[in-house]
Amino acid sequence: MYPRIKELRIEKKLSQLQISMKLEIDQSYYSKYERGEHEPPSSVLINLANIYNTSVDYILGQTDNRKRYE
């Protein structure tokens, strides 16, 4: 469902555990976001966009522009 969150995590050389700790959620639950088994809430999408310095639209696949909005 959200393949870009996995791509961004790998590009940053971060583990699922490291990201889940930043998000303050269990690693197994974060893993389900990457596999598309659970849909992340908007608060998690916003936090991921902040972690990866990109936009929520990029994470959602609505744009191919990685730049954050000013």
Side-chain angles (χ1 to χ4, degrees):
M1 182 177 281
Y2 298 106
R4 288 186 170 168
I5 62 173
K6 182 175 183 177
E7 292 170 13
L8 289 165
R9 178 181 58 77
I10 291 169
E11 284 177 14
K12 293 280 189 179
K13 296 181 170 84
L14 296 169
S15 69
Q16 287 184 350
L17 180 60
Q18 289 170 307
I19 293 298
S20 65
M21 289 174 64
K22 289 178 183 278
L23 296 172
E24 298 179 352
I25 61 173
D26 189 78
Q27 181 272 328
S28 64
Y29 209 79
Y30 175 79
S31 176
K32 291 177 183 181
Y33 295 155
E34 284 193 2
R35 292 193 314 262
E37 294 177 22
H38 286 289
E39 188 166 334
S42 57
S43 60
V44 169
L45 292 171
I46 291 167
N47 285 335
L48 287 169
N50 289 335
I51 290 167
Y52 297 128
N53 196 30
T54 191
S55 69
V56 172
D57 283 345
Y58 179 78
I59 291 173
L60 294 174
Q62 298 297 306
T63 183
D64 289 329
N65 184 355
R66 288 187 175 203
K67 287 191 170 189
R68 293 182 73 138
Y69 301 116
E70 297 295 323

